Amino acid sequence: MSLSSLKSEIIFPYFQSIGDQDPTGAADRVAAEILKAGAGVKQVAASIQAEDLHETGLPLAIRKALATRIREDAIATIEVTTGDTRKNLRPGSFDDVIGHKDFKGLMSNAITAARKQSVPLRHILLSGPRGLGKTTLALVIANELKAKARLLVGSQLRTPVDITQEVLQWEKSSVVFIDEIHGMSKAAQETLYSVMEDGRLPLTEKRKGHQTKTSVPAPTVTIIGATTNPSKLLEPFRNRFGSKYELGFYSAEEMEKIGQRSASILGLTIEPTAIQKLVEHCRDNPRTLNEFSLQLNDMSVAQSLLSITVNHVSELLKLNGYDEQGLRPEERRYMEALKAIGGSGSLKTIAETLDMEVSEVEGTIEQWLVRKGMIRRTSKGRKIIERS
Ligand code: ADP
């Protein structure tokens, strides 16, 4: 990711447009926050979201534009082959992927059958909260197929022309991974759906002043879509995915295994109680767990630590803004927003107060507060659960 181009193309013009007294200084401060959010680490940057950039203080639309650019830059440069995985925490094969036993079994069979019959693997739709391993599974499937993977983000595909230009670049038998596939416009979904249905790419040709509709064969590929919100896909489009898999949360045991795996890749010695504490605070999310593992690795290198203990984990959590109750800054802000409107209110009002989208609040902040029994979802909205 080039921070300087983000600064000159998005951040600086924004501060200039609102008449900031010192747009250069403001852009520098924002750039530092972007780095703190992990945008310099390819594996983190590849799935960064607008809410991860909340600390920049920028409006949602600008954060979204930044997050999309950071993700696209990172995804375009991610290694798909296993290669040297020493510092790459993303698993490269099914054996390295923790959990998902049944899905891995189904996919192994499907991959072997597709190879034996020389037919393409059926399209796959992966759904579930972010950070649980959708990109990981997609890249592993491409690896296991020994196929090239093309990585796209749904919001890149807005018009039928985007689809045409994209399909013309596909390589036969490759895997096309579309992250946040629900970000595709309706028109783009319809065009891609027809390509998946007929195996042909519709084209409009201009001949002698007349427009003629024609079509050319589309390269046979396997499309793997990933979404946090499958209901936003058109039904016929969703139905074109022959395999669908919903990723659920990992057990504490699986999370500890992911933590141990990351620690061993990083060459980090971490006490079992320290891993447990880490797992208790990473919201059952491997992505957060890996972000913390990378930060612990920095701490270990910077302070020449021999081993990571519970105290080091406590220090790290504090540095990440966790409070005594174990709440993160955005969760505290949520609780404060709800208290400010009398302890209950609609999700839309809470999201507006937080300057976030309803789906982001619902998908990232609330889940944990509901699971911890701190708030309740009611027919009218959300309500704080008073503790006696
Ligand atoms: P998503 O695409 O759902 O947002 P990712 O696939 O980017 O999630 O996962 C985030 C990180 O968590 C990955 O880089 C990977 O290192 C780790 N991870 C996710 N799932 C697993 C798993 N099942 N086993 C091991 N590591 C995992």
Side-chain angles (χ1 to χ4, degrees):
M1 182 217 29
S2 157
L3 199 55
S4 61
S5 62
L6 289 186
K7 263 188 353 189
S8 63
E9 289 166 31
I10 303 180
I11 310 169
F12 181 81
Y14 163 72
F15 282 114
Q16 243 186 351
S17 73
I18 59 164
D20 193 283
Q21 300 274 304
D22 176 18
T24 311
D28 285 343
R29 271 194 305 282
V30 164
E33 286 298 338
I34 291 177
L35 281 179
K36 263 201 229 160
V41 181
K42 217 186 279 175
Q43 283 73 28
V44 177
S47 39
I48 211 155
Q49 301 290 330
E51 75 264 24
D52 297 323
L53 304 175
H54 206 277
E55 294 304 314
T56 59
L58 293 169
L60 180 62
I62 306 286
R63 282 187 278 128
K64 276 191 154 181
L66 285 171
T68 306
R69 271 284 295 276
I70 296 168
R71 272 199 314 269
E72 284 175 9
D73 286 359
I75 282 178
T77 55
I78 279 183
E79 281 275 319
V80 174
T81 49
T82 37
D84 174 10
T85 54
R86 227 192 96 70
K87 291 277 185 266
N88 187 353
L89 301 184
R90 206 188 280 284
S93 70
F94 276 142
D95 289 342
D96 290 340
V97 172
I98 316 278
H100 308 294
K101 193 166 161 273
D102 295 343
F103 180 68
K104 288 194 297 189
L106 286 172
M107 276 299 118
S108 293
N109 285 341
I111 290 170
T112 312
R115 279 228 202 95
K116 276 192 176 172
Q117 296 168 315
S118 301
V119 293
L121 188 68
R122 283 185 296 277
H123 306 301
I124 302 163
L125 184 65
L126 304 170
S127 57
R130 67 193 192 91
L132 292 201
K134 298 182 294 298
T135 311
T136 301
L137 284 173
L139 295 181
V140 164
I141 290 168
N143 258 351
E144 301 274 346
L145 274 172
K146 301 201 183 353
K148 273 199 177 173
R150 185 169 174 84
L151 308 174
L152 305 169
V153 180
S155 54
Q156 289 175 313
L157 307 170
R158 304 299 307 164
T159 63
V161 175
D162 291 340
I163 300 291
T164 309
Q165 284 173 349
E166 189 42 53
V167 174
L168 289 172
Q169 295 183 57
W170 287 354
E171 247 179 66
K172 190 171 177 275
S173 308
S174 63
V175 166
V176 177
F177 173 60
I178 311 179
D179 198 12
E180 294 183 37
I181 195 165
H182 56 267
M184 284 173 68
S185 71
K186 200 166 160 256
Q189 288 185 36
E190 276 164 355
T191 312
L192 187 55
Y193 154 72
S194 94
V195 175
M196 290 158 91
E197 180 84 353
D198 313 331
R200 297 188 72 84
L201 178 66
L203 292 174
T204 309
E205 274 184 317
K206 253 192 177 173
R207 270 200 210 141
K208 294 181 188 159
H210 292 288
Q211 287 205 335
T212 337
K213 284 196 187 303
T214 173
S215 70
V216 292
T220 5
V221 300
T222 298
I223 298 177
I224 306 184
T227 176
T228 49
N229 197 345
S231 64
K232 277 197 183 162
L233 298 184
L234 298 174
E235 209 184 319
F237 184 45
R238 205 168 50 220
N239 290 341
R240 286 311 301 165
F241 292 88
S243 311
K244 298 187 190 68
Y245 180 58
E246 196 182 326
L247 282 79
F249 285 103
Y250 294 87
S251 66
E253 200 188 325
E254 287 169 337
M255 288 295 284
E256 281 175 29
K257 278 193 191 153
I258 295 176
Q260 278 151 359
R261 177 179 175 275
S262 300
S264 101
I265 291 170
L266 293 166
L268 193 66
T269 309
I270 176 160
E271 292 183 358
T273 46
I275 291 221
Q276 273 164 17
K277 180 157 185 129
L278 204 56
V279 164
E280 277 164 24
H281 286 85
C282 63
R283 308 300 187 244
D284 298 337
N285 191 313
R287 185 176 161 218
T288 312
L289 178 60
N290 277 347
E291 282 167 19
F292 288 161
S293 303
L294 290 164
Q295 291 180 4
L296 280 174
N297 192 46
D298 293 342
M299 186 189 273
S300 164
V301 173
Q303 301 177 21
S304 306
L305 303 174
L306 290 177
S307 144
I308 297 291
T309 65
V310 172
N311 288 344
H312 294 124
V313 174
S314 301
E315 190 186 329
L316 186 91
L317 294 172
K318 227 167 147 197
L319 290 171
N320 278 283
Y322 280 72
D323 66 9
E324 298 285 296
Q325 272 186 292
L327 289 189
R328 304 199 299 190
E330 61 272 27
E331 292 160 351
R332 277 199 299 280
R333 278 199 295 273
Y334 179 103
M335 294 304 284
E336 278 156 19
L338 198 48
K339 271 186 206 145
I341 51 173
S344 69
S346 77
L347 178 59
K348 194 163 167 271
T349 314
I350 304 168
E352 274 165 11
T353 318
L354 294 172
D355 189 20
M356 290 175 84
E357 281 200 354
V358 165
S359 59
E360 283 177 328
V361 176
E362 210 173 12
T364 58
I365 308 182
E366 267 193 359
Q367 275 176 0
W368 182 253
L369 298 172
V370 173
R371 287 167 78 192
K372 288 294 276 183
M374 296 183 71
I375 59 154
R376 185 183 310 132
R377 291 187 171 123
T378 68
S379 55
K380 289 192 191 125
R382 308 296 186 249
K383 194 171 173 9
I384 293 181
I385 300 179
E386 301 293 347
R387 289 174 192 256
S388 47

